[in-house]
Amino acid sequence: MSNDSAIADRTHIKSAARSFAAAIAETAAVREYSAAVDAVRADDNALQLLQQLQQLRQTLQMNAGWDNSDSPERQRLEELEAEVAQHPVLQRFFASQKTMIDELHSINDRLRQRLGFDFASLARPACNCG
Amino acid sequence: MSDTTESAIERSTRDFAATLLEDPAVIEYRSAEAALEGDPEFVRLSESYNGLAQQLQQKQADGSLTQEHINELRALQTQINSHAAAQRFIAARERNAALIHDCNHEISSILGFDFGAVAGPRGGCSC
């Protein structure tokens, strides 16, 4: 095979990859997730709750070395998690996120069945195992 | 709407996979993998390595692990790494991974998130 034909083949592959991505973006799961993200961005209360939850989780992770099961931070985390679970905009966000991830796994599974190898696993940056 | 979207994703998945399967890097990767899995000497070496590694874990746990054991395991690892079928497979995997990274980059730039990171098996890496 010449270099020219190899370049042409890759252009063809990239075009197929773009069509594949466009079709993924049009699935109901990805569209719903995008809409749910927009809804969160438009809701100050939802954003504030998410930020507080993230900050508190980081704080607790940094203090993970000692037992903090009775700490005020741990209690506040439980309260925040309960608030997030009750918030309709955030409920929609987390539900749509889960559905989208399931859908992407399913698409990758179908790709794996055709290719004979796992596309997503090979696409991940190399790790330092072994 | 849902049916149309379903067929669009099915069609584009099939087309994308078919295009990839025609690429020399993918062809060589699949061929090298099949050759590796079908090589009796490589299979025997791998089984010996895995069996010994398991034994040495137990020895480490009960405190009886020696430098001699570790050297034995390393010698097997060296034999595996220098096996012609393994070297062919590693080279083919690198070329294929480079192609798949490029494709994933293309896909992710359209989606706005890393497809490979989200769609892959949960937890751990593929090594």
Side-chain angles (χ1 to χ4, degrees):
Chain A
M1 176 178 286
S2 71
N3 284 339
D4 283 350
S5 63
I7 289 166
D9 284 346
R10 292 289 161 85
T11 307
H12 188 44
I13 288 176
K14 287 193 175 182
S15 169
R18 284 194 293 272
S19 300
F20 175 62
I24 293 173
E26 283 303 311
T27 57
V30 175
R31 286 163 67 99
E32 167 58 10
Y33 175 71
S34 298
V37 169
D38 289 345
V40 170
R41 284 181 179 147
D43 188 321
D44 287 343
N45 180 245
L47 275 176
Q48 203 179 6
L49 271 176
L50 276 184
Q51 281 166 357
Q52 285 176 1
L53 188 65
Q54 196 177 9
Q55 281 169 4
L56 198 52
R57 280 180 175 159
Q58 279 174 354
T59 305
L60 285 165
Q61 265 182 353
M62 284 192 293
N63 299 337
W66 34 281
D67 180 20
N68 55 18
S69 54
D70 294 330
S71 69
E73 287 88 357
R74 176 65 60 186
Q75 286 171 20
R76 178 66 188 132
L77 179 70
E78 284 171 14
E79 288 167 12
L80 266 177
E81 283 174 341
E83 279 184 70
V84 164
Q86 295 296 318
H87 198 290
V89 172
L90 293 175
Q91 279 177 345
R92 180 188 176 192
F93 170 71
F94 286 116
S96 69
Q97 187 181 49
K98 184 185 178 307
T99 304
M100 182 189 73
I101 291 170
D102 289 346
E103 174 71 15
L104 294 177
H105 280 140
S106 166
I107 290 169
N108 186 56
D109 273 348
R110 295 202 290 275
L111 199 53
R112 181 177 46 75
Q113 283 162 18
R114 290 182 180 277
L115 292 174
F117 61 85
D118 194 304
F119 179 94
S121 293
L122 263 188
R124 288 177 177 176
C127 62
N128 294 319
C129 297
Chain B
M1 174 64 194
S2 178
D3 286 349
T4 310
T5 304
E6 280 306 302
S7 27
I9 187 66
E10 288 300 332
R11 189 170 55 248
S12 66
T13 304
R14 188 185 60 239
D15 290 350
F16 180 42
T19 313
L20 278 172
L21 286 169
E22 288 171 3
D23 189 272
V26 177
I27 292 168
E28 169 59 8
Y29 175 71
R30 285 164 54 98
S31 168
E33 186 178 45
L36 189 69
E37 287 169 357
D39 189 304
E41 192 192 356
F42 180 82
V43 170
R44 184 184 58 75
L45 279 172
S46 286
E47 285 171 357
S48 300
Y49 179 87
N50 292 335
L52 186 60
Q54 210 169 5
Q55 281 177 34
L56 298 199
Q57 267 185 349
Q58 283 167 359
K59 287 187 185 297
Q60 190 173 27
D62 66 28
S64 64
L65 185 68
T66 66
Q67 187 60 42
E68 202 177 330
H69 292 131
I70 295 168
N71 291 345
E72 196 183 348
L73 191 68
R74 282 185 180 154
L76 267 175
Q77 180 71 66
T78 304
Q79 281 187 68
I80 287 173
N81 289 347
S82 60
H83 194 283
Q87 289 190 336
R88 179 189 169 196
F89 173 73
I90 290 165
R93 186 176 60 183
E94 276 179 22
R95 281 192 63 209
N96 191 36
L99 169 64
I100 299 304
H101 283 153
D102 284 351
C103 290
N104 188 56
H105 179 75
E106 203 76 26
I107 294 163
S108 302
S109 66
I110 289 172
L111 290 177
F113 58 82
D114 188 331
F115 174 77
V118 181
R122 289 170 173 93
C125 68
S126 58
C127 294

